[in-house]
Structure formats: structure tokens, C-alpha cells
Amino acid sequence: MSAKSMNSDRLPPPVRRMLLGITLSALGNGLVLPFAFVYLHSIRHISTSMAGLIFSYGAVISLLVAPMVGTLIDRWGPKPILMVSLVVSAIGYSSFSLIKTVPQAFLIMTICAIGQSAMWPSQVALNTELTPDHLRERIYGSQFALLNLGLGLGGMFASLIVSLEKPQTFETLYIGDGLSFLVYLAVVLSLRDTGRRTKEQREIHAKLEGGWIDVIRDRTFFKVWLVALFAIFLSYSQLEVGFTSFATTVAGVRPSRLAWAYAVNTAVIAIFQLWVIKKLEKLPRAKGLAIAAGFWALAWAVLAIAGIAKEFAVPAIILCQFIFALGEMVWSPIMPAIVNQLAPDHLRGRYNSAATNTWQVGMIMGPASAGVFLGSGQWALWIILLCGGLLTVAFFALRLKLPTRPTKEVA
């Protein structure tokens, strides 16, 4: 067996550098992610409803910018778009420390949303170009595991220094988050001869038929997009408002106890994600999507225990997040692998931007729907609809006709 074939299961060195950059950036995000709402409401004295509107506005801006981002990635390559997005994100998140008024918050949220809308699809597209087909699930899963590790460690560090009595501690965290994007930028700059389109390549791509209309006409991708949209809407988008509100107002769990549940979720992903990827290697991808949706349905069913038997509320919310993490570990490597296998090389940016849109749309729909049901006391109906919806998603996921999984190249 040749050395090349012996090492064919190892991620290439440029990919490992990218993972380092993603982890360092996630550390910065973890500094502020748990405290963003608290910062606007308790430190800058912006009302609860207005703070929620500001975050929803950011999701809308990301949704509007995404189509242009996909086009730019396909024309210029993912690397320059990623570099610009990191600079914009650094400016935006550092400027969060300067917010004093609502108009300033909307302006700075616009900058952050533009940066993040460009960062995620360009990052995935660049990792895809750097990774052989048969290793793509591994890179996506590794990225997700290290992202969670960085967020968890960043959040733990921030909790040691943040104080409501000292607004400057929040300002320091946002400056640190902004600097983390520049550290990531330095890592991306170290990648040479990749992720760019030469003049000749741009001319070739310009002659190829294709554009957003081809993405829309891809019936298989459209079905995958719908499955992803409803899966995100019924799972991830319910966490920030739905899960938190249910746990504190319905189950009567103290806010400090929520940290235990989130810590379990993060730890499970960071420790077991690579092991799960190994187990998924021979599993049909459509079945993997269905399994993920099934885990999320089970997680919400377990959460109902916290509302029915409040004496078991804390164990129930922790178990809910443990099961939810199982679904995340299955979903995170499979969905981007499907998207990038379906995407032609000259449309990869558009496909990844469209896939990112499922998150943006879901994150707009999710908090609003949770607020309506929980605000009116219909928590049981909320959970029933989530569970039933996710089981429906699992059914349609199983009906997807996907390309066969890429096999390892033999030297």
C-alpha cells in the first residue's frame, strides 16, 4: 500500500489550519453569545421587545444579502469573500461595545449580519475545495465539534469576568470577539494557491450556463432545502426563546441551571462528534437526516416531562439537551455533504448560500412561533406540534433520492 493511500483518511494540512482558525474564532463568539441579549437589555437599557426586534432584523439582513454572497463566491472564489467577511465581522462585533442607542444597535447589527451572512457559506465552500469527496463529512463534523468546543470554552471564560455592575466587562468581551475574527483572518491568509478564481477561471465560469435559476430548478436540492428548512425551524430555532422560556417560566427552572444543560450539549458534541462520523460512514444520508429529526423529536418529548413533573425539571432539561446533541452530531456532517455533492463546482457558492438561508429563515420563524404558543400558555400544543412536525420531516427525508455516497480514491 502506498503512503498516499495510507494517509488518504487524514485531513489535508490546509484543512487542519482552517479548523484551527474556526476554533479560535468560535472562542471569540463564545465570549459574547450567551450574553448578547443581556448586554442590550440590562447594560444598554434597550427594552426586551426592541432587543428581540434587533436580533430578528439581523436575520432578515442576512437573508437579503445571501443571494449576492453566493454569486460573489462563484465569481471570485470563497477565499476572498471569506477574508472580506472576517474583516466586516471584526468591525461589527468590536463596535457592539460602542452601542448606546437603538439606532446605533440597528446600524451595528447590519454590519454584523452582512459579515456573518458572507462568512458561513464561503467557509463551507473553501473547506469543500480543500477536502476530497470521501472526507467531506469528516471536515464538516470536525468543524462542528470544534465550533462547539470553542463556544463552550469562550462562554466559560466570559462567565468568570462578566459583571452587570461593570459594563466595561461586556465591552471588553465584544472587543475580544472582534479580534478573534482577525486571528482567523491570519489563518486564512496563510492558505496559498487555493480558494481564488484566476482570470481564466472566471472567463470559463462566465461561459458556463447556470445561475440562481439553475439552483431553483434543481428538484433534488429543492426537496433537500425544504427538509432542512423545516428541520431547522422545528429544532435549532426553538432553542434560544422556546427552550429557555419553557424551562424558566413553565418548568420553573432557575436560569443558572440552564447552563448545566447547555454545558452537557456542548461537551457531548465536542467529545463524541468524530466517533459519530465514523459510525455514519456507511449509513445512507437520507436515513441520517431522518435519524437526526427523530432525535430532536424525542428531545422535545423529554422536555415535556419538565412541564408535567416539575420535581424532575432539571434532569429533564439536561436529558433534553443530551438527546438534542445526538441529533446535531448526525445532522451537522451530513447536510453540508449533501449540498456540496449536489452542487456543480461553478455554482457551489450559490448552493451553500441557499443552504445557509434555511438557517436564516428558520431563525426568523422560530422565536416568533415559540413566543406565540408559550406566551398564551399553550406549551403542550407547542411541544406536540414540534414533535409531530419533526416526525413528518423524518418521513420526507427518507423519501429523498440522493446521489450515492462518494468512495475513497484508491492510489
Side-chain angles (χ1 to χ4, degrees):
M1 181 181 293
S2 69
K4 180 180 178 180
S5 62
M6 288 176 63
N7 294 326
S8 61
D9 282 339
R10 296 189 62 188
L11 292 174
V15 174
R16 296 201 290 271
R17 266 184 279 164
M18 277 289 291
L19 290 175
L20 173 63
I22 290 168
T23 306
L24 295 174
S25 177
L27 281 168
N29 291 341
L31 294 176
V32 300
L33 190 62
F35 309 108
F37 188 86
V38 174
Y39 172 69
L40 290 182
H41 179 61
S42 300
I43 302 299
R44 298 312 186 199
H45 307 296
I46 295 174
S47 69
T48 301
S49 58
M50 183 57 67
L53 181 61
I54 290 168
F55 286 110
S56 294
Y57 165 80
V60 172
I61 293 297
S62 296
L63 182 64
L64 295 175
V65 171
M68 181 179 65
V69 168
T71 302
L72 290 173
I73 292 172
D74 288 332
R75 177 168 177 77
W76 299 100
K79 183 179 176 181
I81 307 306
L82 178 57
M83 291 165 57
V84 171
S85 74
L86 293 174
V87 173
V88 173
S89 295
I91 294 171
Y93 282 94
S94 295
S95 298
F96 244 85
S97 63
L98 305 176
I99 289 176
K100 295 293 191 296
T101 66
V102 169
Q104 289 175 346
F106 274 106
L107 174 62
I108 292 170
M109 179 59 75
T110 302
I111 299 172
C112 293
I114 291 172
Q116 292 297 283
S117 180
M119 188 187 85
W120 290 105
S122 58
Q123 175 178 281
V124 174
L126 182 56
N127 277 333
T128 300
E129 289 192 13
L130 292 170
T131 311
D133 285 355
H134 72 281
L135 291 180
R136 284 179 181 167
E137 287 184 12
R138 185 171 302 181
I139 176 60
Y140 303 137
S142 299
Q143 173 181 305
F144 186 67
L146 292 172
L147 177 66
N148 275 270
L149 177 63
L151 290 174
L153 293 176
M156 290 174 58
F157 176 76
S159 67
L160 298 176
I161 65 172
V162 73
S163 171
L164 290 175
E165 290 72 35
K166 298 178 180 179
Q168 64 271 22
T169 59
F170 287 86
E171 296 169 4
T172 300
L173 294 181
Y174 275 105
I175 293 172
D177 187 22
L179 291 174
S180 73
F181 289 107
L182 298 181
V183 174
Y184 186 9
L185 175 62
V187 173
V188 175
L189 286 170
S190 72
L191 302 174
R192 301 185 183 278
D193 303 321
T194 188
R196 294 181 182 273
R197 303 289 180 261
T198 64
K199 182 179 179 180
E200 292 75 16
Q201 288 173 323
R202 291 199 298 274
E203 290 174 351
I204 292 172
H205 279 200
K207 294 177 182 178
L208 293 172
E209 292 185 6
W212 278 107
I213 192 65
D214 281 3
V215 179
I216 296 170
R217 286 175 175 170
D218 186 336
R219 293 178 62 84
T220 300
F221 177 71
F222 181 66
K223 292 175 183 178
V224 169
W225 190 89
L226 286 176
V227 166
L229 171 63
F230 284 99
I232 297 301
F233 164 53
L234 296 166
S235 58
Y236 282 102
S237 75
Q238 303 293 329
L239 288 175
E240 187 172 0
V241 172
F243 173 78
T244 303
S245 178
F246 178 92
T248 55
T249 62
V250 176
V253 175
R254 285 184 291 173
S256 60
R257 295 290 189 267
L258 290 177
W260 298 359
Y262 286 123
V264 166
N265 178 286
T266 301
V268 167
I269 293 170
I271 295 171
F272 295 108
Q273 179 68 80
L274 297 182
W275 178 81
V276 170
I277 292 172
K278 281 285 189 181
K279 297 298 180 182
L280 295 175
E281 287 180 350
K282 295 183 179 180
L283 183 73
R285 285 172 171 168
K287 183 179 287 187
L289 297 180
I291 289 172
F295 274 130
W296 289 332
L298 178 60
W300 294 134
V302 169
L303 183 64
I305 297 173
I308 297 170
K310 292 182 172 55
E311 63 271 23
F312 299 111
V314 172
I317 66 167
I318 292 175
L319 181 57
C320 169
Q321 282 302 306
F322 175 84
I323 298 172
F324 198 94
L326 299 180
E328 290 181 88
M329 288 190 290
V330 176
W331 181 275
S332 62
I334 290 178
M335 179 52 70
I338 292 172
V339 171
N340 282 280
Q341 188 178 7
L342 292 173
D345 287 343
H346 67 290
L347 295 177
R348 195 173 302 282
R350 290 176 174 88
Y351 272 73
N352 279 290
S353 290
T356 302
N357 273 350
T358 61
W359 287 84
Q360 294 153 352
V361 175
M363 291 303 178
I364 294 170
M365 296 164 56
S369 61
V372 168
F373 284 105
L374 296 177
S376 60
Q378 300 294 321
W379 67 264
L381 179 59
W382 174 68
I383 288 182
I384 290 171
L385 290 175
L386 291 181
C387 293
L390 284 165
L391 292 176
T392 303
V393 167
F395 171 78
F396 282 105
L398 288 172
R399 294 174 62 87
L400 292 173
K401 304 297 183 183
L402 301 176
T404 57
R405 185 187 298 267
T407 56
K408 186 190 305 183
E409 296 179 2
V410 179

